[in-house]
Amino acid sequence: MSGNNTMQDAIEFIWAEVDMLDHGEFQDWLKLWTEDGKYVIPIDQDAPDFENSLNYAYDDAAMRDMRVRRLTSGQSMSATNAAKIMRTVSRFRLLKSDDPNVITIRCAQNLVEFKYEKLRNYPSNVTYVLVKDGDTFRIREKIVRLINSQGALAGMTFLL
């Protein structure tokens, strides 16, 4: 990362993050987070308080680690015939940057899942709170607001 353009550096960091997920580089993905980082997929897109709301995921470091271990163990249903996933992220917008070491960015994500000879599409708005860490970032918060979060979801292997 160049360090000269914080927004561009953040976008490149997010591209690398989704690429790690799509290629199953889960241990490297776990290293991208701050110790207190939260990964949230709310059911109610407008929920103001994720801790006291229903969520598909509300993961701290221990839960992210457990989710990766389940997914990579070969023992869970989500690991059996694992889906092929491809994420595309675009439409990046800087939301706030009051602290020069913290950047909040929102983007569109189009996640395509291929499993059992079926393609499924999961569009979402994703908000990242990134904390500068030297010449890179760490994820303090990632909120994935699925467009169809209150509808029937066919699979959940995309949770990572």
Side-chain angles (χ1 to χ4, degrees), residues 50-79:
F50 303 122
E51 190 172 338
N52 294 302
S53 302
L54 289 175
N55 301 289
Y56 290 113
Y58 184 77
D59 293 359
D60 59 9
M63 285 301 297
R64 284 189 306 275
D65 185 61
M66 235 185 304
R67 191 178 301 279
V68 165
R69 278 190 278 130
R70 259 193 324 267
L71 188 63
T72 58
S73 70
Q75 302 299 314
S76 82
M77 289 300 290
S78 58

Side-chain angles (χ1 to χ4, degrees), residues 6 37 40 44 106 110 120 135 138 142:
T6 302
V40 184
D44 177 358
R106 183 173 57 217
N110 185 26
R120 291 187 178 90
D135 65 348
R138 294 284 174 254
K142 180 179 178 181

Side-chain angles (χ1 to χ4, degrees), residues 18-33:
V18 299
D19 184 71
M20 285 178 194
L21 288 172
D22 287 352
H23 290 92
E25 298 168 12
F26 302 123
Q27 294 305 318
D28 290 335
W29 178 76
L30 288 171
K31 294 174 189 173
L32 298 179
W33 292 82

Side-chain angles (χ1 to χ4, degrees), residues 3-135:
N4 296 332
N5 185 338
T6 302
M7 179 73 167
Q8 185 61 39
D9 290 345
I11 291 168
E12 290 176 18
F13 176 85
I14 292 167
W15 283 336
E17 187 245 355
V18 299
D19 184 71
M20 285 178 194
L21 288 172
D22 287 352
H23 290 92
E25 298 168 12
F26 302 123
Q27 294 305 318
D28 290 335
W29 178 76
L30 288 171
K31 294 174 189 173
L32 298 179
W33 292 82
T34 62
E35 275 188 44
D36 62 342
K38 293 282 193 252
Y39 175 57
V40 184
I41 305 176
I43 291 174
D44 177 358
Q45 292 182 32
D46 300 320
D49 177 8
F50 303 122
E51 190 172 338
N52 294 302
S53 302
L54 289 175
N55 301 289
Y56 290 113
Y58 184 77
D59 293 359
D60 59 9
M63 285 301 297
R64 284 189 306 275
D65 185 61
M66 235 185 304
R67 191 178 301 279
V68 165
R69 278 190 278 130
R70 259 193 324 267
L71 188 63
T72 58
S73 70
Q75 302 299 314
S76 82
M77 289 300 290
S78 58
T80 305
N81 295 324
K84 291 180 174 49
I85 304 287
M86 185 181 74
R87 293 165 182 83
T88 304
V89 288
S90 62
R91 197 202 69 219
F92 294 91
R93 180 175 172 212
L94 180 65
L95 295 181
K96 62 182 174 180
S97 188
D98 300 336
D99 181 335
N101 293 314
V102 179
I103 183 169
T104 302
I105 211 166
R106 183 173 57 217
C107 62
Q109 175 177 269
N110 185 26
L111 185 147
V112 178
E113 173 191 56
F114 181 69
K115 188 171 184 173
Y116 303 125
E117 301 301 315
K118 290 186 180 180
L119 280 174
R120 291 187 178 90
N121 194 37
Y122 299 97
S124 60
N125 287 297
V126 183
T127 303
Y128 287 86
V129 177
L130 304 176
V131 179
K132 285 190 180 180
D133 183 18
D135 65 348

